[in-house]
Amino acid sequence: MSDTADNNRKYWDVLAPHYQEQTEISLDEFHYGPLLPGDAELGLLPDSLDGLRCLELGCGAGQNSIVLAKRGARCRAIDIAEQQVAIGREFAAAEGVEVDFRAGDMEAFEVEDKGYDLIHSTYALPFAADPASFAKRIAGALAPDGSALITTAHPLYAGEWLEVDIGEQGVLIEDYHDVFNDIRTINDFETSSVAKFHPIHEVAGWFTDAGLVIDRLLEPRPLPFDRVQSEAPYWSEDWLDQHAELTRIPIVLILRLKKR
């Protein structure tokens, strides 16, 4: 296990119970990130999931895998944090579905484990130590007619909000080609995790170099404020506090990819 993966494991094992308690994540609707519309509106999943082999990488508690399993998919879900996986197993049991949860490094899943109809990952790519290699591993594990659905950090979200004129704010990116890292710490800085922001062309390049084609590219806006709590499949009070800013810049980049 790489140092990056080990730091992520320690961080999320400590944070998992609080994160899952404070964040509302649907077990009935596929999510793409905080405050955003779910797949019922964005429409990126296959029309039918019945019998499809699906793999989720960096799954957290696997809510998206549980959603797919409830729709007939055969799901495996991998996360670095044993605590996240343990919570996911409890969720799956309560929902009456089977998900093959695995605790381990998402960048090191077995390359022999191929033929997935859908590989999906929501906001895990920023934590990858070697995203180019990770993209190649994903491409190699897809079935010939399979697809990958990758949600990652949008580089504009790394910007700093500044007042640019009286009563007006804008986002400062000092160097778009070298965006800073989001270093997250808990326990008085004893445990840390790093999420890396990358320019869009770099993210696209990793996957196209791996032999995949970008079928869809989205930078979705949040739902209107008064619809978030009733319709957003992923939200929290802390995220709601950022709603005004996130209507002006995207928080995530979504890629749907297919083999050439």
Side-chain angles (χ1 to χ4, degrees), residues 83-135:
Q83 287 297 316
Q84 292 273 54
V85 169
I87 294 169
R89 291 185 179 121
E90 293 178 1
F91 285 161
E95 295 295 312
V97 295
E98 291 187 10
V99 174
D100 179 13
F101 280 102
R102 307 282 182 98
D105 185 352
M106 67 178 183
E107 295 182 75
F109 69 90
E110 294 296 330
V111 293
E112 294 81 6
D113 192 11
K114 299 181 179 179
Y116 285 101
D117 301 297
L118 174 65
I119 297 178
H120 57 107
S121 181
T122 299
Y123 217 94
L125 184 64
F127 297 95
D130 187 347
S133 177
F134 186 46

Side-chain angles (χ1 to χ4, degrees), residues 9-202:
R9 178 186 62 79
K10 294 174 182 176
Y11 176 87
W12 284 106
D13 268 335
V14 173
L15 187 64
H18 174 78
Y19 171 77
Q20 294 296 336
E21 180 180 346
Q22 298 297 317
T23 311
E24 297 288 336
I25 307 178
S26 176
L27 295 168
D28 296 305
E29 170 67 308
F30 195 94
H31 74 268
Y32 294 97
L35 314 183
L36 301 177
D39 195 72
E41 182 169 328
L42 297 184
L44 298 174
L45 289 173
D47 292 336
S48 174
L49 291 158
D50 194 34
L52 295 189
R53 291 188 69 221
C54 299
L55 173 65
E56 182 174 10
L57 299 170
C59 68
Q63 285 92 339
N64 273 346
S65 286
I66 292 170
V67 170
L68 300 184
K70 291 168 75 170
R71 299 180 189 177
R74 295 176 292 154
C75 298
R76 175 171 292 175
I78 299 173
D79 196 85
I80 196 69
E82 181 65 55
Q83 287 297 316
Q84 292 273 54
V85 169
I87 294 169
R89 291 185 179 121
E90 293 178 1
F91 285 161
E95 295 295 312
V97 295
E98 291 187 10
V99 174
D100 179 13
F101 280 102
R102 307 282 182 98
D105 185 352
M106 67 178 183
E107 295 182 75
F109 69 90
E110 294 296 330
V111 293
E112 294 81 6
D113 192 11
K114 299 181 179 179
Y116 285 101
D117 301 297
L118 174 65
I119 297 178
H120 57 107
S121 181
T122 299
Y123 217 94
L125 184 64
F127 297 95
D130 187 347
S133 177
F134 186 46
K136 290 178 182 177
R137 192 174 290 262
I138 289 171
L142 280 174
D145 59 349
S147 60
L149 197 50
I150 307 296
T151 302
T152 191
H154 197 289
L156 282 180
Y157 185 61
E160 180 183 2
W161 283 93
L162 299 175
E163 187 170 2
V164 294
D165 203 346
I166 298 176
E168 295 183 3
Q169 286 187 320
V171 171
L172 170 67
I173 298 286
E174 292 187 6
D175 185 349
Y176 177 79
H177 299 284
D178 186 20
V179 189
F180 72 86
N181 297 331
D182 176 12
I183 302 174
R184 309 176 180 192
T185 61
I186 49 179
N187 291 347
D188 295 325
F189 299 92
E190 292 180 5
T191 305
S192 64
S193 180
V194 178
K196 300 177 181 180
F197 294 87
H198 302 278
I200 292 173
H201 73 271
E202 282 191 6

Side-chain angles (χ1 to χ4, degrees), residues 203-219:
V203 177
W206 297 327
F207 290 99
T208 55
D209 289 348
L212 299 179
V213 174
I214 298 173
D215 178 58
R216 293 283 304 278
L217 186 155
L218 281 74
E219 301 168 293

